[in-house]
Amino acid sequence: MNEREIHVTVNGDTRSWSVAPGELLLDVLRREAYWGVKRGCETGECGACAVLLDGQPVNSCLMFAAQADGRRLLTIEGVAHGDRLDPLQEAFLDHGAVQCGYCTPAMVLCTRALLERRADPTEDEVREALSGVLCRCTGYRKPVEAVLAAAKTRSAAAKPKSARRKGAAR
Amino acid sequence: MFDQLRAFHRPTTIAQALRVFRTERRRGGRGAFVAGGTDVVVVGDRRLRYLVDVTNLPLRYIRRRGGGWAIGATSRMADLEHSAQLRRFADGALAEAAGTCGSPQIRNMATIGGNLANASPACDTAPPLLALDASVVVAGPAGRRTVPLDRFFRGVNRTALDGGLLIEILIPAPPIPRRGRAAWSFQKLGRLKSDIAVVNAATGVAVDQSGRCAWARIALGAVAPTPLRARRAEALLVGRVPDRAAIAEAAARVAAELKPVSDVRGTADYRREMSRVLVARALEECAGRLGRSS
Amino acid sequence: MSQHRVVGRRVRKVDGTKLVTGRTAFTDDFEMPGMLIGKILGSPHAHARITRIDTRRAKALPGVHAVLTYQDVPRVPHTTAGQGWPEPSPYDTYLLDSKVRFVGDRVAAVAAESRAIAEEALRRIDVEYEVLPAVLDMEHAMDPGVAVIHDEPDSSHILDPSRNLVGEIHKELGSVEEGFRQADLILEREYRTPRQQHAMLEPHIAIAWLDADDRLVIRTSTQIPFHVRRQVAMILQIPVGRIRVVKPRIGGGFGGKQEQVIDDICAALALATRRPVKLEYTRHEEFFMARTRHPQILKLRMGVRKDGTIVAHHMQVLAATGAYGSHATTVQGNTGSKVLPLYRVPNLKFDCRIVYLNTPQAGAFRGYGCPQGFFAQESLVDEIAHELKMDPIEFRLRNAIRKGDVDELSAQLGEGRRGLPRVMRSCGLPQCLEQGAAAIGWKEKRGKGRRSAGRIRRGVGVACSMQGSGIAGVDFAGAFFKLNEDGSFNLQVGATDLGTGSDTVLAQIAAETLGVSLDKIIIYSSDTDFTPFDVGAYASSTTIISGGAVKKAAEKTRDQVCCFAAKLLETSPEELTCRDDRVFAPDGKSVSMSEVALFALYKEKTQLMEGASHFNTDSPPPFCATFAEVEVDTETGQVSVPHLVTAVDLGVAINPMQAEGQAEGAVAQGLGYALAEELVLDDAGRVVNANFCDYKIFTAKDMPRLTTILVETEEPLGPYGAKSIAEVPINGVAPAVANAVFDATGIRFRTLPIRPDAVLKALREQRAAT
């Protein structure tokens, strides 16, 4: 078979994989035990397979593994720091935003990308960021609340100490 | 899914891309160019033997060129959507249209070249590009040719590419009359907020200093085998003040000439009526932007 | 604020961390050496006989380990419905058959070394069909001369197979004929509801293998592990004791997994190959090879006195169960038994017919017959109130069932067998209506739309609904505790958490009863070898029935704890109380749970363990008032919903945060049912929109502002007063939306989903008429 070797940085680790020409990124990721990347539709509509490619959300079911060569990927497995959950993950748990959890990795990744570029998003912006992740369990309300709460937590944590002491307004 | 694929090429120059495509074609079997994959993978043609990935070609740019624009074919929908410059051009009609394609993830992957080359009747970037008199640059073994967009679409998923590679989209400087103004609008109707268009439409209207229409552009998608310009309706507006009556007449004219299909997304009747509604809304928005008092 | 320490608290899910970090949790997050991929060859025809099937070319393909047809497997008539035995559904299904009855029906199955090889193997199976006429229209399925879908002699419990009639239900309380004579106003209307699909994010998936002891292990995404075990045993003719069913985390079910959909064929492939086999539906297959909601045509006739009292109600239902009859009579029975008793009507009549069609199979789906019935009933009631110029809320309150009432209809319309009357020991419906109305702004917003001339017309609508909590006299659960050295308890329950949070809720009940903190409960669920029996997650039963078992078992465990602690504290067990992970004597002396454990294990040489089973002889209904605010764009016909209010009497909320989440998810599905979701079939019986592009479910951008109000009453039959909330919030959404559209436009829509082109057409006709 005409396998090629690709080198991808996943969650900070450099991985080298042998992939067939037609292999899709979702299949390779799950084959390599990144089981947090979910298979939901394989047509790019449900978003459960979303990963961050160089910081931007993409549907891994529509990408050829070969196209990930030399790129940086973030999957849900790379979001927490060891035992320490990301503020988004904490917020999802605190706000009851996780029911079956199948879409949760995609929701966390897509909103993390949002918070990286918009520290103080509006509700509409959060809904837009989530619009490519289908959820059948939550009605989206608690995930949206969780993201807005996480935005506040992240902003507070990012403030320099002196500003926080003075209670400076944003 | 693509278990028959013998090769996935990732050339870095246009010449390389054309060469390797030609070589593969000679070896036999079906093949295609692929960019974001949001059409090729969804269609999932398992007979494909080779793919030539064009995302490593230097075609991801949005540049001003002589009052108009040159947009590289592998620019992502998200690039267009978020380009501050493009949002200020033509009332943001093209940027807005790009921002309605699919979902955020899709927009990070889908390219404008792929969107046009796939030639879905419901392609969202086509109506604003048609309203902007855009053309596409195609690179082929015999060299480059420029094809006006309104001659590029030949049918459902059929184009004038003829095996070539779409490399650039050119938008000329809009011919705004001296001491006149122009405005554009993009409208899209789906069943829910994220959707393939049931109908989409883009209009451009220019008025001279007396407030009369110097030219009009009305383009629609999802109502015919290809995105199209409604030229007779456009002609109706020329020379007139784009008031409510003129707009209603033009919109009605558009609808009267259409023969859309009925499918699971909408009936023919509904599409026809929505064409009228969306064109009217688009023209009203143009008129509003032109500062007409109602 | 809850008066309890753990129950009533908005605690995090006990399994939340692993879900939010994407750790291996779901069926597919699993590898076994030598695992094969299973795939099913689905019929291209809606109705056909297999006249020849040749698998030699498929078997010859390298990498193919098994190809099964009806010739290779036992023929055992059964139902796939996840119900207690004996299931009240026809035994009309076969593992593989020589006849196919819908597009996608099983023709053959393969197991191969890769997905690509399996798919190629399917293409190499040579099949010849005798195509039969397809029966696709439920209104004509029983016509003379129409093709017979189930003409096989060995199926059973089909009322009249020769006329494609699965079953009929006829019940009457009082006399509707007499009642109509007393009526000042009679309205008769017809309503139509579509095939809705569960569209859970995780498709159906199972992995089956033979373990080292030659026992069949099935790791599967199912709501009914124990029913799966029993049914697979029956279908494959192996003893129940030789099968173990394990349910990992599930990516949603909503009733679509209250069904044994692929476990049998996956297991058959594992047995044939003696290798692990994974079988997973693609999303495309999910849309037509799984299950759907039953589409119905409902004819309602209601008579009222001019003071607004309903005196007679006759509901007639025609439903299509698709190619096989799982849940056919029980879903439709519910349309009568859970919907009609909402109002105190002395004369009730329910007539129902369920027919086979050569279409995808219907089955259980959240609400289980109620969304259809409430759409019809709450729309009609709204129309009558309008005719009488009565406020719709006042009309409902006037007629609604009250605390203390007895619902006799349930006794007649039990789920497939003689039921039990339901006593309303708790009923918060008036508070639901009052609080919901305030939240939506009922007084300010009602009646404005029809008078407005603008492009956007606004309106508000209301609908009431109820459900049940478990199936009386049928649903039961077991729970088992054992105590560990550190004072933690293993809690083993058969109950099935499909994302609903039942593991958390049951752990909360356990912790509360035992007087320990939540993290001292280690819950393990849904493993037929290691957990006691539970019917599974359906009928809104888990909190009340499984929770009831947990509470009982916890009480017994607590008693045993006190027995041991009494020895340590030198007092009598009855004097002791458990709280804060300790056992307290009246004089304030205490021992820790851990000390009790060490004492029991190492001094008394006893494992402190207790179990209990629980069922109820009643099914206390949760009540719900749903309020919708809509905006109708009169140019495009689009209906959008800016605000939706759900006020639910769920008894007591064990975990209010989870309860709200359940309600909000149910509402999202209800909105889809009302406005967007419908499986569309062509005239050859194929599903035309078998993908998320054209089967539209609401995204985050489509959802309205949601207000969720939990109205707490105390239900004596539920643990800590709980009833249920899993299903009821879906029921009132479609009628509330339809009633709001009426408020906005003056037009009644009686077919779901309410599509923009239908709205536009109706608005045009309205303009023409005026």
Side-chain angles (χ1 to χ4, degrees):
Chain A
M1 237 310 188
N2 305 331
E3 307 247 315
R4 77 202 288 146
E5 185 148 294
I6 62 172
H7 306 280
V8 192
T9 306
V10 188
N11 304 332
D13 302 320
T14 314
R15 307 292 309 272
S16 297
W17 297 327
S18 190
V19 303
E23 262 195 290
L24 298 166
L25 183 58
L26 169 63
D27 294 324
V28 173
L29 284 173
R30 287 190 65 81
R31 192 204 338 127
E32 296 295 328
Y34 292 97
W35 279 320
V37 187
K38 300 294 175 202
R39 187 188 312 276
C41 73
E42 298 182 303
T43 51
E45 275 143 4
C46 76
C49 67
V51 298
L52 297 188
L53 177 73
D54 296 327
Q56 295 303 316
V58 296
N59 287 333
S60 62
C61 71
L62 294 184
M63 218 174 125
F64 288 92
Q67 291 177 310
D69 193 17
R71 311 291 289 273
R72 251 184 334 113
L73 289 180
L74 184 70
T75 71
I76 190 69
E77 287 89 348
V79 170
H81 298 283
D83 271 346
R84 234 186 38 207
L85 296 180
D86 185 276
L88 264 173
Q89 292 168 309
E90 298 280 3
F92 265 66
L93 292 175
D94 284 335
H95 288 263
V98 183
Q99 287 191 37
C100 82
Y102 204 73
C103 75
T104 303
M107 280 197 176
V108 168
L109 289 168
C110 289
T111 51
R112 181 171 153 129
L114 170 71
L115 294 183
E116 290 291 311
R117 62 179 171 84
R118 293 276 291 137
D120 186 19
T122 63
E123 182 175 330
D124 278 349
E125 285 170 331
V126 175
R127 286 182 182 275
E128 180 67 45
L130 286 174
S131 64
V133 181
L134 295 182
C135 173
R136 205 52 165 157
C137 293
T138 66
Y140 309 97
R141 181 190 177 193
K142 289 178 184 329
V144 169
E145 280 175 4
V147 176
L148 291 170
K152 290 201 172 62
T153 311
R154 282 168 59 114
S155 288
K159 268 207 232 72
K161 276 216 171 85
S162 59
R164 263 181 277 159
R165 253 207 316 270
K166 287 178 187 159
R170 248 200 330 266
Chain B
M1 183 188 310
F2 296 103
D3 49 295
Q4 307 276 318
L5 211 68
R6 64 174 181 248
F8 188 91
H9 297 284
R10 307 199 75 211
T12 53
T13 70
I14 296 170
Q16 231 176 56
L18 292 171
R19 201 167 44 239
V20 76
F21 193 80
R22 194 169 61 237
T23 308
E24 285 288 4
R25 201 141 140 194
R26 286 211 201 99
R27 272 168 65 185
R30 295 167 76 96
F33 290 108
V34 65
T38 54
D39 287 315
V40 168
V41 179
V42 173
V43 169
D45 184 354
R46 56 174 303 279
R47 293 166 302 176
L48 285 172
R49 304 301 320 276
Y50 57 93
L51 285 170
V52 179
D53 172 14
V54 297
T55 56
N56 276 345
L57 304 187
L59 296 177
R60 189 175 180 175
Y61 54 84
I62 301 172
R63 293 180 195 136
R64 297 237 55 153
R65 195 178 288 175
W69 296 83
I71 300 176
T74 62
S75 301
R76 309 300 198 266
M77 294 301 180
D79 299 341
L80 274 72
E81 179 190 8
H82 293 124
S83 156
Q85 285 193 85
L86 204 59
R87 284 153 78 107
R88 285 192 296 266
F89 171 69
D91 296 307
L94 178 59
E96 189 183 326
T100 67
C101 295
S103 69
Q105 298 95 286
I106 296 292
R107 294 195 285 280
N108 285 330
M109 304 168 78
T111 62
I112 183 150
N115 195 224
L116 296 173
N118 185 54
S120 156
C123 164
D124 290 311
T125 55
L129 285 171
L130 286 169
L132 288 164
D133 297 321
S135 23
V136 294
V137 180
V138 179
R144 296 184 186 194
R145 56 196 164 95
T146 303
V147 182
L149 193 62
D150 61 0
R151 279 191 229 134
F152 178 73
F153 300 113
R154 289 216 179 119
V156 177
N157 301 126
R158 286 191 304 117
T159 67
L161 274 178
D162 294 330
L165 175 65
L166 200 162
I167 57 171
E168 194 176 54
I169 294 96
L170 294 173
I171 301 172
I176 301 179
R178 213 158 67 90
R179 284 189 256 170
R181 284 158 296 137
W184 285 262
S185 170
F186 173 76
Q187 304 287 326
K188 178 175 172 179
L189 185 80
R191 291 157 294 178
L192 290 181
K193 294 216 171 92
S194 300
D195 203 352
I196 289 201
V198 173
V199 180
N200 52 24
T203 59
V205 178
V207 294
D208 61 25
Q209 61 190 37
S210 74
R212 282 172 203 285
C213 174
W215 52 257
R217 298 281 182 272
I218 301 173
L220 296 106
V223 291
T226 71
L228 52 79
R229 285 258 305 268
R231 289 175 198 276
R232 274 190 276 260
E234 292 171 1
L236 264 181
L237 287 169
V238 173
R240 293 171 71 171
V241 173
D243 59 15
R244 203 141 279 163
I247 288 173
E249 210 183 303
R253 191 67 203 266
V254 171
E257 294 184 350
L258 291 175
K259 289 192 195 54
V261 294
S262 288
D263 64 16
V264 72
R265 294 174 199 146
T267 60
D269 272 344
Y270 187 69
R271 282 198 158 99
R272 198 176 292 116
E273 176 59 16
M274 289 308 100
S275 302
R276 189 189 64 72
V277 169
L278 286 198
V279 167
R281 285 186 186 180
L283 289 171
E284 287 288 345
E285 189 163 71
C286 287
R289 286 174 173 156
L290 289 167
R292 177 196 59 143
S293 54
S294 40
Chain C
M1 200 52 172
S2 173
Q3 80 235 63
H4 303 294
R5 291 179 125 78
V6 187
V7 160
R9 304 280 158 172
R10 304 173 75 92
V11 296
R12 289 185 173 193
K13 290 181 84 173
V14 297
D15 55 342
T17 303
K18 83 173 156 216
L19 294 172
V20 93
T21 53
R23 293 213 196 110
T24 70
F26 296 88
T27 300
D28 195 40
D29 306 335
F30 188 75
E31 249 171 15
M32 281 196 95
M35 187 164 77
L36 302 172
I37 303 298
K39 283 233 51 104
I40 294 171
L41 177 64
S43 163
H45 304 293
H47 196 195
R49 253 180 258 284
I50 298 172
T51 51
R52 190 178 77 88
I53 183 162
D54 186 341
T55 59
R56 283 172 296 178
R57 281 199 312 125
K59 282 183 174 145
L61 183 63
V64 171
H65 288 244
V67 181
L68 301 176
T69 73
Y70 72 93
Q71 292 153 345
D72 305 305
V73 299
R75 183 178 172 85
V76 178
H78 63 275
T79 180
T80 57
Q83 299 170 314
W85 179 86
E87 302 94 332
S89 294
Y91 275 24
D92 60 5
T93 308
Y94 301 87
L95 177 56
L96 286 163
D97 199 355
S98 59
K99 191 180 191 208
V100 289
R101 299 177 181 82
F102 70 97
V103 174
D105 200 359
R106 292 180 189 175
V107 172
V110 309
E113 284 166 17
S114 73
R115 185 170 163 182
I117 298 173
E119 287 169 353
E120 179 59 32
L122 293 184
R123 281 187 287 270
R124 292 184 186 205
I125 298 173
D126 299 312
V127 195
E128 266 167 29
Y129 298 95
E130 178 201 344
V131 179
L132 303 167
V135 187
L136 300 174
D137 181 347
M138 75 167 101
E139 293 182 272
H140 295 285
M142 294 179 59
D143 288 357
V146 160
V148 175
I149 299 174
H150 283 276
D151 55 350
E152 66 279 1
D154 43 354
S155 290
S156 61
H157 293 92
I158 304 172
L159 186 59
D160 187 353
S162 71
R163 288 190 305 150
N164 294 320
L165 181 61
V166 182
E168 273 185 8
I169 305 171
H170 303 287
K171 298 292 173 208
E172 187 163 12
L173 275 187
S175 158
V176 289
E177 199 181 309
E178 182 51 44
F180 285 125
R181 270 198 282 274
Q182 299 165 20
D184 296 316
L185 171 68
I186 298 173
L187 282 191
E188 186 170 329
R189 297 286 184 263
E190 182 179 292
Y191 301 87
R192 288 170 183 254
T193 65
R195 281 178 188 87
Q196 185 182 25
Q197 222 277 326
H198 309 79
M200 70 291 272
L201 263 289
E202 183 204 33
H204 286 84
I205 177 172
I207 303 177
W209 67 93
L210 288 167
D211 71 7
D213 296 310
D214 229 35
R215 293 178 74 233
L216 177 66
V217 184
I218 310 176
R219 177 186 165 97
T220 173
S221 185
T222 183
Q223 295 171 228
I224 45 157
F226 286 89
H227 296 330
V228 165
R229 183 178 69 166
R230 184 189 71 248
Q231 289 177 350
V232 169
M234 185 172 118
I235 295 164
L236 297 180
Q237 300 182 320
I238 57 184
V240 163
R242 210 185 135 203
I243 302 174
R244 174 180 171 204
V245 178
V246 183
K247 174 212 74 72
R249 297 256 68 80
I250 296 180
F254 315 112
K257 295 173 179 172
Q258 184 196 340
E259 196 89 16
Q260 187 282 108
V261 177
I262 53 169
D263 307 283
D264 59 344
I265 194 79
C266 183
L269 289 168
L271 290 176
T273 59
R274 298 197 67 82
R275 295 270 286 261
V277 174
K278 174 169 78 175
L279 202 154
E280 180 176 18
Y281 272 172
T282 64
R283 178 58 53 185
H284 179 68
E285 289 168 337
E286 266 300 315
F287 277 107
F288 59 96
M289 287 167 72
R291 301 291 182 270
T292 77
R293 194 181 288 288
H294 288 82
Q296 287 185 2
I297 301 174
L298 305 100
K299 283 197 186 45
L300 272 60
R301 189 160 193 258
M302 196 180 266
V304 292
R305 278 201 278 264
K306 53 177 176 282
D307 69 355
T309 311
I310 307 172
V311 287
H313 184 189
H314 183 192
M315 179 188 274
Q316 295 178 83
V317 172
L318 175 64
T321 195
Y324 300 93
S326 59
H327 301 279
T329 46
T330 46
V331 165
Q332 269 57 238
N334 244 22
T335 305
S337 72
K338 296 247 167 37
V339 173
L340 295 169
L342 179 63
Y343 299 115
R344 310 157 110 204
V345 180
N347 305 296
L348 284 172
K349 192 164 193 279
F350 180 67
D351 293 308
C352 173
R353 268 194 179 157
I354 311 112
V355 296
Y356 284 116
L357 288 181
N358 292 119
T359 65
Q361 185 175 347
F365 193 160
R366 196 177 210 166
Y368 207 82
C370 292
Q372 299 95 319
F374 281 113
F375 171 61
Q377 180 171 277
E378 288 301 290
S379 295
L380 184 58
V381 151
D382 206 69
E383 197 168 347
I384 289 177
H386 182 73
E387 286 290 310
L388 294 176
K389 301 198 193 342
M390 268 184 87
D391 173 77
I393 296 178
E394 198 200 313
F395 181 91
R396 286 172 170 83
L397 278 170
R398 183 185 197 78
N399 288 285
I401 199 165
R402 290 168 208 172
K403 183 169 168 180
D405 283 352
V406 178
D407 155 30
E408 292 293 349
L409 193 65
S410 286
Q412 302 218 20
L413 281 170
E415 294 204 13
R417 43 175 73 82
R418 172 133 189 98
L420 296 158
R422 294 197 297 173
V423 178
M424 305 299 127
R425 296 180 185 82
S426 62
C427 177
L429 187 59
Q431 297 92 300
C432 291
L433 281 165
E434 185 189 330
Q435 293 180 37
I440 199 85
W442 180 261
K443 283 206 183 65
E444 304 80 55
K445 296 190 175 146
R446 181 79 182 165
K448 300 280 167 17
R450 278 162 280 154
R451 278 167 274 173
S452 124
R455 186 188 108 195
I456 308 281
R457 305 260 174 86
R458 295 180 174 81
V460 288
V462 64
C464 292
S465 58
M466 60 198 276
Q467 190 78 34
S469 305
I471 306 172
V474 173
D475 284 349
F476 94 91
F480 184 82
F481 285 93
K482 66 181 179 69
L483 175 59
N484 302 312
E485 280 106 320
D486 62 348
S488 68
F489 290 86
N490 289 106
L491 167 57
Q492 288 148 8
V493 287
T496 308
D497 189 327
L498 53 154
T500 43
S502 66
D503 279 0
T504 305
V505 161
L506 296 177
Q508 283 177 264
I509 291 170
E512 185 72 44
T513 311
L514 290 165
V516 301
S517 52
L518 186 59
D519 61 354
K520 288 289 196 284
I521 306 293
I522 306 153
I523 183 164
Y524 182 62
S525 57
S526 303
D527 180 332
T528 60
D529 270 2
F530 294 107
T531 63
F533 190 97
D534 188 292
V535 290
Y538 55 88
S540 304
S541 62
T542 306
T543 300
I544 197 171
I545 302 293
S546 311
V550 167
K551 186 152 184 281
K552 255 188 189 160
E555 284 160 353
K556 286 167 79 174
T557 307
R558 188 185 58 203
D559 290 346
Q560 241 200 68
V561 163
C562 290
C563 282
F564 285 101
K567 294 187 185 171
L568 287 173
L569 291 167
E570 292 170 332
T571 174
S572 62
E574 301 77 44
E575 316 233 285
L576 299 177
T577 49
C578 296
R579 67 171 189 280
D580 299 328
D581 299 295
R582 304 187 70 82
V583 189
F584 287 87
D587 65 0
K589 286 219 272 286
S590 67
V591 284
S592 70
M593 204 58 85
S594 170
E595 287 172 290
V596 173
L598 290 164
F599 176 66
L601 282 167
Y602 294 110
K603 289 282 178 354
E604 301 286 287
K605 290 177 266 296
T606 312
Q607 165 71 72
L608 205 159
M609 56 185 176
E610 282 292 351
S613 298
H614 181 68
F615 70 97
N616 277 338
T617 51
D618 203 340
S619 177
F623 291 90
C624 186
T626 309
F627 290 82
E629 183 185 343
V630 305
E631 285 178 354
V632 180
D633 183 329
T634 55
E635 272 185 358
T636 64
Q638 290 189 311
V639 176
S640 62
V641 183
H643 190 193
L644 194 120
V645 173
T646 308
V648 192
D649 158 23
L650 71 160
V652 162
I654 307 291
N655 187 322
M657 194 164 70
Q658 293 301 320
E660 289 161 4
Q662 281 290 290
E664 288 157 6
V667 161
Q669 291 178 331
L671 285 167
Y673 192 54
L675 294 170
E677 292 180 41
E678 179 181 21
L679 277 182
V680 177
L681 273 60
D682 67 12
D683 51 18
R686 280 182 296 251
V687 173
V688 161
N689 56 339
N691 53 67
F692 278 129
C693 178
D694 289 322
Y695 183 88
K696 306 297 295 180
I697 73 174
F698 272 48
T699 69
K701 272 163 70 161
D702 300 301
M703 286 300 290
R705 178 176 141 221
L706 295 177
T707 301
T708 311
I709 301 166
L710 302 180
V711 170
E712 294 203 327
T713 60
E714 268 212 38
E715 172 50 54
L717 286 189
Y720 296 98
K723 285 191 282 195
S724 65
I725 192 169
E727 295 177 274
V728 71
I730 199 177
N731 295 335
V733 178
V737 168
N739 294 337
V741 170
F742 174 78
D743 190 45
T745 63
I747 302 173
R748 295 267 175 208
F749 290 93
R750 302 190 184 92
T751 297
L752 294 179
I754 301 172
R755 293 171 50 123
D757 54 352
V759 174
L760 203 62
K761 187 156 173 279
L763 284 166
R764 220 183 265 155
E765 286 165 4
Q766 186 189 52
R767 268 197 300 272
T770 51

